[in-house]
Amino acid sequence: MADSARPIGVFDSGVGGLTVVNKLRHLLPHEDIVYLGDTKRNPYGARTKEELIRFTREIIAFLKTRHVKLIAFACNTATAAAYDTVVGETDIPLLGMCRGIKTAAGISSEKRIAVFATPVTIANHIHRNEAARLDKTLEIVEQPCATLAGLIERGCLEGEEIRAAVAADTAPVLKAGVDTAIFGCTHYPFVQPVFESFCGDSVVFVDPAHETALQASALLKKRGLLNEQKQNGYLQLFFTAEAGRGADLATHLLEPDSFTVREALLS
Ligand code: DGL
């Protein structure tokens, strides 16, 4: 098979990375996509660096068995904890999650930007470091969200429990007077309306999924790897546990008949 005809591999700790898949499907409709959600070990947000490196290596090995031509990390936590370690270990190009700083900086008139992300992502300061490289006058207000990804993964997309968690996570950020916020975890766009209900019109939200999809497109183009097939690409979803639950959540973003679902065993 020609390299360009191979699928794109995408992964996350669970369903969050489907927000990236959604953008990839719109931008690159002719690409086949194999997605791995590690639902068995979700959430990743409080795991150790060693665990996250091990999980990422196992997922890369799995995606290699599916003959992917590119592996996109649709997970900020794995990007923050494992990308730098594993990037030199494989001949397949790897793409980490974009930070969204450039986009947010273009929107923020106060130059004060919030980042909502998992504790691991915040502890690694990947957004703050990128902001410092881009523009030293940018102020990044980092907000670790301890429970959000786990709640979303359980399908808790509305109601009191998720509202209480988002209320607690947005309160300090609103107090800091930000006018722009980045979803630094791919799960959070699932509950953007809840975030918006607490932040009103005062905060513009940036989802770096779109930028990540644009980078994937640019990378494939540069390497002559864009799929030239005429029909729309397939989407295979693999979950390491509870594939049915993953499929249910997927239908919040994707047409039910646009993907297939299977359980995957990692080794
Ligand atoms: N969706 C992931 C991220 O972007 C991981 C969330 C989690 O499992 O804690 O960081």
Side-chain angles (χ1 to χ4, degrees):
M1 186 199 278
D3 283 351
S4 60
R6 297 177 191 275
I8 299 173
V10 183
F11 79 92
D12 179 43
S13 66
V15 295
L18 295 174
T19 57
V20 177
V21 166
N22 198 20
K23 303 289 180 190
L24 280 169
R25 299 273 286 170
H26 282 111
L27 197 66
L28 300 167
H30 303 293
E31 294 296 336
D32 297 324
I33 298 176
V34 176
Y35 180 84
L36 189 284
D38 194 3
T39 37
K40 195 172 182 176
R41 301 182 289 201
N42 177 281
Y44 275 10
R47 295 277 189 175
T48 65
K49 187 176 176 71
E50 290 68 31
E51 283 177 314
L52 290 165
I53 290 170
R54 179 161 56 86
F55 298 168
T56 302
R57 283 186 176 133
E58 289 172 7
I59 292 168
I60 289 172
F62 170 81
L63 290 171
K64 274 179 142 176
T65 69
R66 314 305 300 181
H67 308 293
V68 297
K69 60 185 172 187
L70 160 72
I71 296 177
F73 287 47
C75 179
N76 293 268
T77 308
T79 301
Y83 180 87
D84 286 348
T85 304
V86 301
V87 71
E89 297 177 353
T90 171
D91 45 358
I92 300 173
L94 303 184
L95 179 68
M97 253 325 272
C98 287
R99 319 290 194 255
I101 296 290
K102 219 175 179 172
T103 305
I107 293 169
S108 175
S109 46
E110 298 296 325
K111 299 286 172 215
R112 198 173 299 130
I113 299 163
V115 176
F116 294 104
T118 67
V120 165
T121 302
I122 295 295
N124 281 277
H125 304 296
I126 55 173
H127 297 85
R128 181 169 281 182
N129 293 344
E130 180 150 321
R133 280 194 292 273
L134 189 74
D135 175 354
K136 291 214 168 356
T137 68
L138 289 174
E139 189 187 330
I140 302 298
V141 178
E142 298 173 309
Q143 180 59 40
C145 307
T147 59
L148 275 190
L151 285 173
I152 294 164
E153 197 62 39
R154 290 198 340 248
C156 187
L157 305 183
E158 49 188 28
E160 270 323 297
E161 207 177 351
I162 192 79
R163 288 188 64 77
V166 174
D169 289 332
T170 49
V173 160
L174 290 172
K175 212 167 157 196
V178 306
D179 61 1
T180 308
I182 295 171
F183 287 128
C185 169
T186 52
H187 280 75
Y188 303 166
F190 271 94
V191 292
Q192 182 160 349
V194 184
F195 273 91
E196 284 171 348
S197 74
F198 286 104
C199 298
D201 291 338
S202 59
V203 178
V204 176
F205 286 91
V206 173
D207 177 2
H210 180 64
E211 221 170 301
T212 306
L214 283 173
Q215 284 204 358
S217 169
L219 193 152
L220 292 177
K221 198 169 178 185
K222 195 170 157 199
R223 295 183 181 227
L225 287 174
L226 283 173
N227 199 322
E228 281 163 10
Q229 67 182 340
K230 296 284 172 279
Q231 74 268 31
N232 283 347
Y234 65 72
L235 171 59
Q236 288 179 341
L237 306 182
F238 287 89
F239 294 104
T240 51
E242 297 180 76
R245 187 171 49 79
D248 280 351
L249 279 163
T251 59
H252 284 269
L253 299 176
L254 307 161
E255 291 298 322
D257 57 359
S258 67
F259 58 85
T260 58
V261 184
R262 281 167 66 183
E263 213 153 287
L265 198 64
L266 301 184
S267 50

